[in-house]
Amino acid sequence: MAAATAGTGIVHAFWALFALRLILGIGESVAYPSYSKIIALHFPEEHRGLANAVISAGLVLGPGFGILIGGTLIARFGWRPFFIVLGLVSLLWLIPWLRWMPASGDATHLIMSGAPNLSEFLRLRSAWGTSVGLFCGNYVNYFLITWLPFYLVRERHFSMDRMARIGGAAYLLGACFATLSGWLSDRWIISGATPTRVRKTFTGGGLALAGIFLGLSAVRGPAFSVTMLILGMVFFGVSASNIWAITQTLAGPQAAGRWTGFQNFTGNLAGVVAPAITGLVLNRTGHFYWAFSILTAVALTGTASWVFLIGPVEQVVWQKKLHSEPVSP
């Protein structure tokens, strides 16, 4: 993935850029199924909120630093050096990983006779609920990633440097509140609340408030707009903190990877839809009002999916039984 990112700053032909983005997507595709599998296997319900929130905070911090540092670098050196530096710096994580990665040892191997087949999975209302909910949340995320810098510079007339500071601060606060929300959700469960109430409150409620605040950012002056944008990012972080905890509980250890993979595929279609719809609306109207209105409607649809389309947040009883056996190192 890092090499594909660095290569983006070098290539010139469209087909080469397209190929590099495909490679990047292939590399990213295994990330969330792997996270979910690991957390479902090794974390009990009352600790999954924080574990997932830390991962979600990283998801929010990436665009935050991209806007903050990237906006500054692009203003001074152009976009190509930014992509090259970003890709090369991303390789630095290999140094601590190779030094301190966990050693192989005894583990519990799950015989996957208990995992659902595709037809069984597609018949689940909750599977579609999590997929629609993630699509709506990702619509908000991709809208912000692709259009927030343009909105701040072109519609609100901020300089590139100020845009970078505002966007970076908003994403940083979103990451902080994602982590805090994950911890609070676990504490709420430990105190006796059900995972259904806790996870749906944070995920659905956070997404609704994110959509409302972001929608309000388009209706008044620059100062009010920035405040609403920051509040929208804060509640997007709140929502992101518990999304995958719902999936992991519903799927159980034997199906967490498969469920996450399907949900991630459906959810990331928003990466195509959100930028395209926003660009079309801007081309027709010349301003962001209706683009933000659509975003609010999509976010509220996602809230309805998380709260009503998904059933109780309890492990699904699959048709086949799960077995386990020890595995030697």
Side-chain angles (χ1 to χ4, degrees), residues 15-237:
W15 66 266
L17 179 61
F18 184 77
L20 286 172
R21 303 317 287 176
L22 282 179
I23 294 170
L24 180 67
I26 292 170
E28 290 178 340
S29 66
V30 300
Y32 271 99
S34 300
Y35 301 153
S36 280
K37 190 75 171 181
I38 292 168
I39 292 173
L41 279 170
H42 298 290
F43 287 79
E45 178 67 54
E46 65 273 15
H47 295 297
R48 288 178 186 165
L50 181 58
N52 283 284
V54 171
I55 295 172
S56 296
L59 175 68
V60 176
L61 278 176
F65 281 108
I67 291 177
L68 180 61
I69 300 173
T72 303
L73 288 176
I74 290 172
R76 287 164 172 74
F77 306 107
W79 68 271
R80 289 186 181 276
F82 167 66
F83 273 93
I84 295 171
V85 170
L86 177 64
L88 294 177
V89 170
S90 297
L91 292 171
L92 294 177
W93 77 274
L94 290 172
I95 298 173
W97 172 254
L98 293 173
R99 175 64 180 82
W100 291 295
M101 65 179 179
S104 300
D106 293 335
T108 298
H109 172 62
L110 296 173
I111 298 177
M112 299 312 293
S113 61
N117 57 37
L118 183 61
S119 63
E120 182 183 1
F121 178 80
L122 294 178
R123 290 195 298 269
L124 286 175
R125 188 184 75 180
S126 290
W128 291 104
T130 59
S131 297
V132 172
L134 181 64
F135 175 91
C136 294
N138 277 355
Y139 186 100
V140 175
N141 187 33
Y142 283 113
F143 174 94
L144 293 170
I145 290 173
T146 55
W147 287 104
L148 179 60
F150 184 89
Y151 170 72
L152 291 174
V153 172
R154 296 298 181 90
E155 183 128 334
R156 293 302 181 181
H157 307 295
F158 294 129
S159 66
M160 285 289 289
D161 285 342
R162 191 175 180 196
M163 176 278 295
R165 291 194 296 270
I166 293 171
Y171 273 105
L172 177 61
L173 285 172
C176 292
F177 274 85
T179 305
L180 177 62
S181 298
W183 179 79
L184 288 174
S185 67
D186 288 343
R187 301 306 302 173
W188 194 3
I189 289 175
I190 290 172
S191 70
T194 64
T196 301
R197 172 178 293 183
V198 173
R199 306 301 186 202
K200 288 187 176 186
T201 297
F202 278 91
T203 302
L207 184 57
L209 290 171
I212 291 169
F213 283 123
L214 289 170
L216 289 173
S217 70
V219 301
R220 292 185 61 184
F224 179 83
S225 176
V226 168
T227 301
M228 294 299 101
L229 282 171
I230 290 174
L231 285 173
M233 281 303 308
V234 164
F235 283 102
F236 177 76

